[in-house]
Amino acid sequence: MRIAVLDLTRQPSPLLDGVPRAGETIVEWLSPALPEATFATVGVAYGADLPKVGDFDGVVVSGSELGVYDASPWMPSLRDLLLAVREAGKPVFGICFGHQVMADTFGGRAEKAACGEVVGRRVYGCGGVAFAAHVWHQDQVTLVPPGATVTGSADYCPIGVLEYEFPGLSVQFHPEYTRSRLETLFALGRDRFISAGAVEAALASFRDGPVDGALFAPDTAAFFRRHTAA
């Protein structure tokens, strides 16, 4: 099983030199639950070409500091790839921005949320089960795409998990980020790419309890197995 991980997040250098990039973090999170897969991280935000549909069996779309409304040289090509993946019936899993751009591409809408930036630990519900998750976003999906179903949400985020009628699944939260990784980013990015106020609010939310380090990894692995089985 070949999984392409599209890394759409820039890491300012030298500020974040040595900190694992978004694609690496996703592989660290998912690979223990999907040991049979071969992962290829594609640094799209760093100028790497997007893969072709025939190059992989499934794809993960990472988060990004950008919104779906931002101009980026790779945004139109990413949308084209998502449409081609849907046409080919290959599984695609989106995280945060990935959740948003999938919805926006497939006929829904994502935009800046009225509640503003939300960072830290929040409680989501999915399939009748409540769980804590790490979040870091200011945009949300505000219109469900045709044929998609909302299967998870939070009190501040009504469209938190989407399942599609084709092999598509996406989440607004960041299952791949651990508390320690976020604390590192907060320490380095405070008053640079995240405000001191947002950092303090996020750190305070961590005191409410832990977040499972393997959150949603078994579900995502099962999703890829189900849709790549011969």
Side-chain angles (χ1 to χ4, degrees), residues 201-223:
L203 294 176
S205 75
F206 291 162
R207 293 194 287 271
D208 293 335
V211 171
D212 181 2
L215 177 66
F216 223 74
D219 308 81
T220 307
F223 165 75

Side-chain angles (χ1 to χ4, degrees), residues 48-129:
D49 291 336
L50 284 159
K52 295 178 172 58
V53 172
D55 295 339
F56 54 80
D57 302 305
V59 61
V60 179
V61 186
S62 84
S64 177
E65 73 280 11
L66 300 179
V68 299
Y69 41 76
D70 286 319
S72 171
W74 47 259
M75 195 80 73
S77 297
L78 173 63
R79 291 180 184 273
D80 288 344
L81 178 62
L82 289 173
L83 293 171
V85 168
R86 180 178 66 175
E87 180 67 22
K90 293 190 174 182
V92 54
F93 176 70
I95 297 172
C96 196
F97 170 82
H99 172 70
Q100 297 159 12
V101 75
M102 284 173 61
D104 204 71
T105 298
F106 297 138
R109 184 169 61 247
E111 57 193 333
K112 290 186 183 296
C115 63
E117 186 176 42
V118 182
V119 186
R121 176 189 183 275
R122 293 294 185 274
V123 175
Y124 276 71
C126 187
V129 177

Side-chain angles (χ1 to χ4, degrees), residues 103-104 107-111 140-146 159 162:
D104 204 71
R109 184 169 61 247
E111 57 193 333
Q140 293 188 30
V141 175
T142 56
L143 178 66
V144 177
I159 308 173
L162 283 172

